[in-house]
Amino acid sequence: QHGRALRLFFALPCPPPIARQIAAWRQALAADGKLVAPANLHLTLAFLGSLDAHHLTPLGEIAASIQLPAFDLQLDRLACWSQGLLHLAPSQPPQPLLELVEQLQSRLRQHGYQQPGHAFRPHLTLARHSHLPAISPLANFAWTVERFALYASADGHYRELHSWPLEN
Ligand code: 2AM
């Protein structure tokens, strides 16, 4: 597994039944731009960029060292950032989500993995190069977050490499 560069990030996977609901709702919005495939819907916790595969072991150790509770996540706000990133976000980011990101990012930093200094803005990207639809039905998608995962992206597809549980 050495000598191979992977584009890596930690994220919360969107459970398939919720991803199907979101995709159906998004279709009703008639969102423009490049849509994220339902199987690729996720909420990024920490982005690592392109790293050699030998980093997978230390990254797995960092993830395994995190012991935090499961929590409910509610995505109830549709928004579009200026660069055309149409997304769903929690209007009230749950404290355990912020705690998870804080612990993950600070441990990554301690191990020399560069992390942004700016505030984390939780979001689940729906489409890129998009616009806010003129009319949008209310959004309210929720699930209990029971695990977080390490992903590798390649050719626009996100592959889950491993996941770690959050305690119930
Ligand atoms: P985005 O959906 O907001 O674009 C895979 O590309 C995942 O990593 C996406 O969730 C993407 O966020 C995120 N990502 C890509 N580049 C990033 C960066 N420089 N900083 C933080 N997250 C990034």
Side-chain angles (χ1 to χ4, degrees), residues 53-66:
H54 79 258
H55 288 281
L56 293 176
T57 304
L59 289 173
E61 286 167 5
I62 290 167
S65 76
I66 288 177

Side-chain angles (χ1 to χ4, degrees), residues 77-90:
R77 194 169 65 189
L78 176 69
C80 191
W81 285 330
S82 53
Q83 65 275 38
L85 196 132
L86 185 71
H87 63 275
L88 284 167

Side-chain angles (χ1 to χ4, degrees), residues 69-164:
F71 58 90
D72 291 327
L73 177 64
Q74 201 170 334
L75 303 177
D76 56 356
R77 194 169 65 189
L78 176 69
C80 191
W81 285 330
S82 53
Q83 65 275 38
L85 196 132
L86 185 71
H87 63 275
L88 284 167
S91 59
Q92 311 259 298
Q95 201 53 45
L97 169 64
L98 302 178
E99 182 68 19
L100 172 59
V101 168
E102 177 50 40
Q103 284 202 21
L104 192 54
Q105 293 194 354
S106 79
R107 286 173 200 208
L108 288 168
R109 249 181 242 117
Q110 282 165 22
H111 286 81
Y113 296 101
Q114 217 176 324
Q115 290 297 299
H118 58 73
F120 166 68
R121 292 198 291 175
H123 65 282
L124 181 145
T125 300
L126 295 170
R128 301 177 197 283
H129 315 294
S130 190
H131 299 88
L132 199 58
I135 298 168
S136 59
L138 285 181
N140 199 344
F141 302 100
W143 72 91
T144 302
V145 176
E146 291 175 316
R147 63 195 186 94
F148 67 101
L150 180 62
Y151 284 85
S153 78
D155 309 325
H157 170 74
Y158 303 137
R159 186 160 52 96
E160 186 181 318
L161 300 178
H162 196 76
S163 78
W164 294 268

